[in-house]
Amino acid sequence: MKKIRLYGNWKMNMTRGETLAFFAEFEKSAKPLAAVVGKALEVAVFPPFTALWAAGEAIRAMEGPAPLLGAQNVHFEPKGAFTGEVSIPMVEECGATHVIIGHSERRHIFGESDGLIAQKTKACLAAGLTPVLCYGETLEERESGRAFEVMGRQLCSALEPLSADELGRIVYAYEPVWAIGTGKSATADEAQEVCAWSKELIAGLAKGGVDAAVLYGGSVKGANAKELLSMEAIDGALVGGASLKAESFLEIYTAYAEA
Ligand code: PGA
């Protein structure tokens, strides 16, 4: 069976207390998965900044299988006069190894441009962090037949300046905007089509030789995990709502693996 990446994006949820409760629950729920975590299953959680340190401490104290830690965003400069922003050294200090870049909520609610996302991607790679680069079309873009044009622009603007080695260090996350938080996931065929297309695009930019990991995100839960994760081009899931409880989060992997 292929390696599955299960990444949990908590968004603006979870206080420090709720974070500690999550990890206590995770220790119990992950026990049956002890043989696969870190091997066939790579789990990562992305708490809000205010819980990142507590999450790192909880992870470091774990005896059983532990998840990797990531941040939901960073600024591309290492420090300075950027009120409200958080730097790469700050999240690294908490134990983060991954950073979500270009999530559709950052693009659409906070107006992050392709240029800014490219700068953040580059800065994460330079620091040795793994960017989880998100891209995806809105419903209007899909219905008007422009989905691939939009995603091509989102991907190429961030990826064209990078080397083949850098392209291979990114985890890619296809997240159709219309499927995020709506309960209406893309079908397995729709997700497969975009993930396979993404891999070709990335391999083209890298001039071959890159085996890119591409996740699908958008209303993934236990009930649709098997269908989606069994698709050949889908290497895992970026999960929002279902990642807030350890049990529903890990159920996504067990639903896939048990079948
Ligand atoms: P969702 O969010 O699983 O709640 O749809 C996914 C995401 O935004 O990463």
Side-chain angles (χ1 to χ4, degrees), residues 7-11 100 103-105 134 173 175-177 179-184 216-221 237-243 252:
Y7 289 6
N9 171 15
W10 291 359
K11 311 192 179 185
I100 296 173
H103 189 278
S104 73
E105 286 148 20
C134 303
E175 297 206 309
V177 179
I180 296 177
T182 58
K184 187 186 179 296
Y216 165 76
S219 298
V220 179
K221 48 183 186 276
L238 182 55
V239 186
S243 74
I252 292 169

Side-chain angles (χ1 to χ4, degrees), residues 173-225:
Y174 167 53
E175 297 206 309
V177 179
W178 46 272
I180 296 177
T182 58
K184 187 186 179 296
S185 155
T187 65
D189 288 335
E190 284 168 340
Q192 159 71 22
E193 183 190 20
V194 176
C195 292
W197 166 85
S198 311
K199 286 184 178 190
E200 263 176 52
L201 183 138
I202 297 157
L205 290 170
K207 307 204 169 42
V210 163
D211 188 14
V214 182
L215 316 185
Y216 165 76
S219 298
V220 179
K221 48 183 186 276
N224 57 22

